[in-house]
Structures are given as C-alpha cells and as structure tokens.
Amino acid sequence: MLGGIAVLSLSACNVPRGAPTQREVLAQPDAQGADFALEIVTRNRLSLYPEWGPRNGRMNTDWPAGGAVPSDQVLAPGDRLSMRIWDPEESSLIASVEAPFADIANVVVTASGNVSLPYIDEVQVGGLTAERARIRLQERLTTIIPSAQVQLEVSEGRRNSAQMLGGVASPGTYPLNERNLPLTSLIAAAGGINPSLKNPQVQIMRGNQVFRRPWDFVLDNPSHDPAIRGGDRVLVEADPRSFKALGAAQREEVIGFDEQDVSVLRAVSLMGGISDTRADPRGVLVLRRYANSETQRANGPPNTRVVFSFDLTTADGVFSADEFLIQHDDIVLATQSPTVSTQRVLGLFGAVLGFGRTLSTTL
C-alpha cells in the first residue's frame, strides 16, 4: 500500500485534467529560441497594443451619407407606364363615342429615359417624378389633341427597386415607391432583421462599390441611415468574427462576437465564466498571431506569437481585461489552478488509505 502511495506521489503531474496550468503554457517564454513572447497586461502597457495590429479585426468601409427626407420616386430605365388618355371630342384621334378614352399599357422607359406614344415623338421622362412625367406627356399630347387629359400609373422596373438578399424575415425584390427611401425603411418592409444574428452587419452593394457597417451604427444617428437607390443589393449577416474558448471554463467552443468590441472580460462572460473549482483566476491567457510584416515595424509586436496574461485577482488586472479588445481568431484560455491536481492526488490518497483500512478490518 505504501508503495502504491509513493507511485501516486511521483505521478501527480499525470493526473487527468481538463486544462493546462499557467506554468505549463508559459514555460520558458524568454529562453533562447522560444517561439512566443509573453505580455503581462497592465494599465501601463495597454496603450502599446493597438499599434501592433489591426484594431479588433473590424471590417468597416466607407458609408453613404444619410438623413435625406423621403419624396416621390423618379422614373428610371425599365419602369413601365400605363396611361389612360381622355378625349371627349367626337372627332377624337384616339377615342370613340362608346369609350371617350384610350388605354395604353406597358410603355417601357428606354435606357435613354424616353417613351414613345402614338402621334408624337419620343418624350423624355427619365429623372422625373410620376406627376411631372404625366404633365409633360399631357403637354405633348395637347399639341395634337387639345382636350386630352392623361392619367398615369407607374410600375417600377429593376432599376427602381432594391434587393434584400438575406438576413431579414422576407428576402426579395422591393420596388422603391419613394425617392430617398431610407435603409431602415427597406429593412422594416422586409420584416426586420433576423433576431438570431449576432451583432448584425449591413452590406450595401451599389454597382462596383461595397459599403459595410454594423446595424447599431446605422441606428446610432439619422445621418447614418442612407437613401437606397434603384439597383442596390442589401445583405444583413452575423458578425463573421469569432474567438476560440478553451480551458477551465463553462464553454469550450468557437464563439462569435456579439458586439462590435469584445473585451477579454466580456469574452470570459461569453464563455460562461471561469470554473470556480478548476480555474486559476491569475492565469487567463489570450493567444494571438501576428503577421511577419507587423513584427518588422518599429512599434510592432515582438513576435508573431504573443501570449497576453491577465490576473483577475487584482483591480488593475480586471480593469485591464475590460479594456483589452479581443481580435478575430484569438484563443482565450482559462488555465487550471495548480491546486486542482493536488486535490485530486489527495483524493486518490484518501481512496487508497480507505481501502487499506477496509482491508485491515477485514483481516
């Protein structure tokens, strides 16, 4: 029995564990040929890290100006016009006694913005509101039909519509009945953003341009709510950024960003917190990779692999963890307390001793 206890003592380091200890992960970071650099994160060093690489992995782009007041839509190539032309004259060119009007349907606005009607030349209507186009058509018709009155209906073509590609309740093509229709109104018409999307990102594809910003940015200020143009394609998707959660935490998995800025403290919260019985609060680690080009800058990181260490048992450590921002693809590791292995070994000792007492009693 004593020999068995000795074996347990010698093999304490081999007791099964759910996570490495901080000492194991950070073994000899300063030794010659070490393949990573260690950063003990404190208030004094926080200002250095934003210069080492892209801030938080954000993918913001330019953004079109917003805040326009909605007004009537203007006609664009591809729109279809349906007209009813009234003429009460008995000798009318277009009407009869039985029907004092004539209907002309599906008149397509050409690429040059013109429409063609009987008895008159092409009429330029592109860029006009429906009411201004009706007045212009009526003015041209009265040159040959003095008493003509025009009624006009417009069916928007693709160039006067926008596409909601995804991320909303009802994707599809939406006609733009208003010029300067705000992005928020288009998304509302599509049933709103899917509530399952974490930190939704809005992307507007306009010709060869792509605009991308967080949905919270759009809602933050009316000037961030741009007018949608005919032909725009809009996509809403979850924030593609994520980090890997490992170690003595409630969750060990890839976790998506739920906000634009995710601090270490928030990352620990998303992991379900660190385990009260297993984790070492002095050893919350963030493992990050940097590009070779970044290490070659004067104010760049000291190594392509850097381990940032946080001590959550001190006020400075907690504040620093709340101000240090996670980047896309970081590894957040909650190390295991070294006392856990000791407790497990002692538990095994107790089990062996208990077995010994039982054996002695039996004998």
Side-chain angles (χ1 to χ4, degrees):
M1 181 180 65
L2 293 177
I5 293 174
V7 170
L8 287 174
S9 300
L10 293 173
S11 61
C13 61
N14 294 324
V15 174
R17 295 175 286 127
T21 65
Q22 181 185 29
R23 183 176 180 180
E24 291 170 331
V25 176
L26 303 181
Q28 298 180 336
D30 298 322
Q32 185 175 3
D35 62 351
F36 70 93
L38 173 62
E39 276 289 320
I40 308 298
V41 181
T42 62
R43 180 178 184 176
N44 293 333
R45 296 193 62 80
L46 276 172
S47 60
L48 301 176
Y49 306 138
E51 300 295 329
W52 287 10
R55 180 177 173 82
N56 201 15
R58 292 178 178 178
M59 295 186 294
N60 293 339
T61 65
D62 292 336
W63 191 250
V69 178
S71 60
D72 291 339
Q73 177 62 293
V74 297
L75 301 183
D79 287 349
R80 294 180 178 273
L81 310 184
S82 295
M83 288 169 281
R84 173 164 287 185
I85 304 172
W86 292 84
D87 183 13
E89 297 293 334
E90 293 183 0
S91 58
S92 173
L93 291 174
I94 60 172
S96 64
V97 176
E98 293 80 11
F101 60 83
D103 288 330
I104 304 177
N106 291 323
V107 179
V108 179
V109 180
T110 65
S112 58
N114 297 328
V115 294
S116 297
L117 294 178
Y119 306 111
I120 60 175
D121 295 330
E122 289 188 338
V123 181
Q124 177 71 34
V125 296
L128 300 180
T129 65
E131 178 59 18
R132 289 296 305 162
R134 185 195 69 79
I135 293 172
R136 177 170 292 187
L137 290 167
Q138 183 169 293
E139 289 174 346
R140 292 292 301 272
L141 282 169
T142 54
T143 60
I144 58 170
I145 308 173
S147 57
Q149 298 288 323
V150 176
Q151 290 178 302
L152 179 66
E153 292 184 359
V154 179
S155 298
E156 290 81 5
R158 288 190 61 185
R159 296 192 185 183
N160 252 346
S161 63
Q163 290 181 286
M164 284 298 313
L165 301 179
V168 292
S170 302
T173 300
Y174 289 83
L176 301 179
N177 298 318
E178 296 177 346
R179 186 178 62 192
N180 300 330
L181 180 74
L183 171 65
T184 52
S185 296
L186 175 65
I187 290 177
I193 293 176
N194 189 329
S196 67
L197 298 181
K198 289 185 177 181
N199 190 30
Q201 308 286 303
V202 182
Q203 184 170 288
I204 301 174
M205 289 161 277
R206 177 175 295 168
N208 294 326
Q209 291 181 293
V210 176
F211 305 99
R212 184 186 180 93
R213 286 297 174 93
W215 177 237
D216 285 345
F217 170 84
V218 178
L219 298 179
D220 181 61
N221 193 304
S223 65
H224 300 164
D225 191 7
I228 294 299
R229 298 180 184 176
D232 281 355
R233 294 176 295 159
V234 180
L235 174 65
V236 184
E237 59 183 356
D239 193 327
R241 297 173 300 165
S242 63
F243 67 93
K244 302 178 182 72
L246 296 173
Q250 303 302 321
R251 299 173 63 186
E252 289 190 285
E253 57 186 283
V254 177
I255 299 176
F257 281 35
D258 67 338
E259 290 186 353
Q260 190 68 356
D261 291 326
V262 175
S263 68
V264 171
L265 211 57
R266 184 167 187 83
V268 170
S269 176
L270 293 174
M271 294 163 63
I274 58 177
S275 174
D276 292 338
T277 58
R278 296 190 299 123
D280 181 2
R282 295 180 176 85
V284 174
L285 308 179
V286 175
L287 288 73
R288 178 176 298 169
R289 300 177 182 87
Y290 289 96
N292 286 323
S293 58
E294 292 169 331
T295 63
Q296 295 170 6
R297 291 186 288 105
N299 57 347
N303 197 297
T304 57
R305 294 178 173 181
V306 178
V307 178
F308 299 92
S309 179
F310 299 85
D311 183 353
L312 299 187
T313 65
T314 67
D316 182 49
V318 174
F319 278 121
S320 297
D322 197 34
E323 296 171 22
F324 185 96
L325 297 182
I326 295 293
Q327 290 189 9
H328 173 57
D329 214 28
D330 277 353
I331 300 170
V332 181
L333 173 63
T335 61
Q336 181 165 289
S337 172
T339 61
V340 173
S341 296
T342 303
Q343 291 170 352
R344 291 188 177 183
V345 170
L346 291 176
L348 290 174
F349 285 171
V352 171
L353 291 174
F355 172 75
R357 293 193 190 97
T358 301
L359 184 61
S360 298
T361 302
T362 302
L363 294 175

